[in-house]
Amino acid sequence: MAKVLLGFMGSGKSTIARGLDPDFVDMDAMLEERLGMSIARFFEEKGEAAFRQVESEVLDDLLKTDQVVSTGGGVVISLRNRVLLKQNADNIYLKAGFETLYQRISADKDNQRPLFLKNSKEDLAAIFKERQAWYEEVASKVIDVSKLSPEEIIEELR
Ligand code: S3P
């Protein structure tokens, strides 16, 4: 069964996945390979709906494996994805409050997420609020990452 890291942008999914298994699969990186361009550019050229379609296809493939997977924060938007995750993966939700996440997302100049660029802080907070219930619904384990170091989180998940 795949071990899947879930959570909003900036929650540290890739860092924790790497700590659990250096051979983890980064869904965003895999998507960029499949799309043949950056996620930001794909959003601009084809739109979010087209991105979500490919994201679901990649998820389907990964759920047939036993790998550690770091997902993109929007993977839980789709009901179908949520059902598939619940049935086929061990799901860990890396939980943190919006202000903590917003600071991290804004400070991350190497990864300028399209949803950050095109939404006001208020709109992003609304997206966060809507998704929280979905992360909780899918998770078999919830871990509050705001007060723990990556090493402590990895230790707890081992
Ligand atoms: C998204 C999160 C991103 C990436 C895309 C959409 C989202 O991944 O998949 O920009 O909808 O929250 P990270 O959560 O790894 O930043």
Side-chain angles (χ1 to χ4, degrees):
M1 191 175 256
K3 186 176 263 196
V4 173
L5 280 306
L6 297 171
F8 203 64
M9 295 170 272
S11 58
K13 300 176 293 280
S14 305
T15 305
I16 302 306
R18 184 175 297 110
L20 291 173
D21 181 356
D23 294 326
F24 81 105
V25 181
D26 183 328
M27 249 183 99
D28 284 345
M30 202 172 188
L31 275 159
E32 293 198 326
E33 219 169 272
R34 196 172 288 200
L35 301 171
M37 65 182 85
S38 72
I39 290 175
R41 175 133 178 244
F42 193 82
F43 260 67
E44 254 172 52
E45 288 188 7
K46 311 266 175 176
E48 183 172 347
F51 172 77
R52 298 299 172 199
Q53 178 68 41
V54 187
E55 186 179 45
S56 291
E57 288 166 18
V58 168
L59 181 71
D60 281 3
D61 291 347
L62 290 173
L63 289 180
K64 293 179 189 124
T65 74
D66 284 333
Q67 283 165 297
V68 173
V69 178
S70 79
T71 56
V75 76
V76 294
I77 295 173
S78 144
L79 171 62
R80 182 172 175 277
N81 288 358
R82 296 201 297 276
V83 171
L84 284 178
L85 281 163
K86 275 192 270 188
Q87 289 173 344
N88 298 291
D90 178 15
N91 298 291
I92 300 151
Y93 170 29
L94 303 181
K95 183 174 180 170
F98 180 70
E99 284 302 329
T100 304
L101 295 167
Y102 191 78
Q103 275 175 26
R104 291 192 196 170
I105 300 165
S106 359
D108 193 349
K109 302 294 174 215
D110 295 336
N111 182 9
Q112 295 256 298
R113 281 103 165 167
L115 289 189
F116 168 72
L117 296 175
K118 74 173 194 206
N119 286 291
S120 65
K121 186 175 178 185
E122 288 67 32
D123 289 344
L124 206 60
I127 293 172
F128 169 78
K129 206 171 159 200
E130 182 180 41
R131 287 184 186 175
Q132 271 207 100
W134 292 330
Y135 296 130
E136 303 260 3
E137 173 201 321
V138 171
S140 37
K141 181 162 180 125
V142 180
I143 177 156
D144 181 347
V145 297
S146 53
K147 291 175 195 72
L148 298 174
S149 68
E151 292 73 25
E152 288 168 324
I153 298 164
I154 291 157
E155 188 57 38
E156 188 161 334
L157 293 174
R158 273 223 170 94

